[in-house]
Amino acid sequence: MILDGVLLDIDGTFVLSNDAHAQAWVEAFTAYDYKISFEQVRPLIGMGGDQIIPRFAPELNDKEGTGKQIADHRKKLILTKFGSHLAPAPGARELVQKLKEHGLHLMVASSATSEELELLLKVAQIDDLVHEATTSNDAEASKPQPDIIEAALSKAQLAPDRVIMLGDAPYDIEAASKAGVSVIAFRTGGFSDEKLAGAIAIYDDPAELVQHYHESPLNQSA
């Protein structure tokens, strides 16, 4: 396999943000009198609002009415309350630099909104290195559906069998698999190795992958 490009999930992968997203969902639902716990929503982080909202309020969706208000409130909390407390995953910038040095085409494949993604890329300290992205605006359904992965492949004009995705959640692996893309997973999202079992390799964080780059599946571009 010759590797042409790498798809990048950002939340939980390059930014340690999953706990913040879970707390934002708890507060957003609570603001509209829906009671959910952190423990209930945390295992679902990695999905988009179109997947999460109906799990707790089947009568709602993220496109209209109260469901959209909850989704918008969660986004506001990330941008105005939690964003300033987020930290990059260890080795985030170093890994992206190495990928670029190896001539790989980089494309963000994220369920985040464009406003959130702008913030996240800055937190990850890679906003000057990555310039192509697909967001929730580019897909009908979020992960674990393959829409975002397929949109990223199309936008970058990359073949699925010549790409690897970097992700942190089982939903990244499921979505990528449906699109024919292999995934390298990081434990930065807080998911167990059992949950990440569909990945072709698992590392603690981007820093560990940088350390072992030459024996990793990414070292296939030559």
Side-chain angles (χ1 to χ4, degrees):
M1 170 185 172
I2 300 298
L3 195 62
D4 293 329
V6 178
L7 304 185
L8 311 174
D9 175 62
I10 303 298
D11 266 314
T13 302
F14 287 91
V15 178
L16 304 178
S17 54
N18 286 359
D19 284 352
H21 280 293
Q23 188 59 40
W25 276 118
V26 171
E27 293 185 21
F29 272 102
T30 299
Y32 291 88
D33 298 321
Y34 287 85
K35 303 301 181 186
I36 68 167
S37 70
F38 180 91
E39 291 73 23
Q40 284 177 300
V41 73
R42 181 60 178 80
L44 303 180
I45 299 303
M47 296 182 179
D50 61 317
Q51 308 283 339
I52 289 176
I53 288 173
R55 295 286 185 105
F56 299 107
E59 72 278 13
L60 302 180
N61 66 71
D62 69 331
K63 299 290 192 293
E64 60 186 8
T66 301
K68 185 177 188 304
Q69 290 175 314
I70 291 171
D72 289 345
H73 190 53
R74 180 214 61 82
K75 173 182 164 183
K76 182 180 177 182
L77 286 168
I78 291 296
L79 294 175
T80 63
K81 179 178 180 179
F82 294 106
S84 61
H85 303 292
L86 298 177
R93 183 175 177 84
E94 291 76 12
L95 177 55
V96 173
Q97 286 175 321
K98 186 166 282 289
L99 295 172
K100 289 181 73 72
E101 286 167 9
H102 281 73
L104 293 166
H105 189 158
L106 304 184
M107 169 65 75
V108 173
S110 171
S111 296
T113 65
S114 54
E115 296 93 333
E116 288 174 277
L117 184 60
E118 183 179 355
L119 166 69
L120 293 165
L121 291 175
K122 287 178 181 175
V123 172
Q125 301 171 1
I126 59 174
D127 54 310
D128 61 324
L129 300 177
V130 182
H131 306 292
E132 295 181 76
T134 53
T135 66
S136 58
N137 300 327
D138 297 297
E140 186 67 28
S142 68
K143 304 164 190 171
Q145 297 306 313
D147 301 29
I148 287 169
I149 314 299
E150 291 170 348
L153 292 171
S154 176
K155 198 168 186 177
Q157 296 185 311
L158 291 167
D161 60 347
R162 295 172 72 103
V163 169
I164 287 176
M165 181 173 180
L166 304 181
D168 71 289
Y171 316 113
D172 296 319
I173 298 168
E174 184 178 344
S177 176
K178 289 173 180 174
V181 173
S182 299
V183 174
I184 292 175
F186 297 129
R187 299 183 179 96
T188 44
F191 292 94
S192 68
D193 285 12
E194 183 180 2
K195 293 286 188 183
L196 302 175
I200 58 172
I202 304 174
Y203 297 90
D204 284 342
D205 51 35
E208 186 184 16
L209 180 49
V210 170
Q211 286 181 322
H212 299 281
Y213 190 92
H214 290 294
E215 62 263 29
S216 80
L218 287 174
N219 194 30
Q220 303 178 47
S221 54

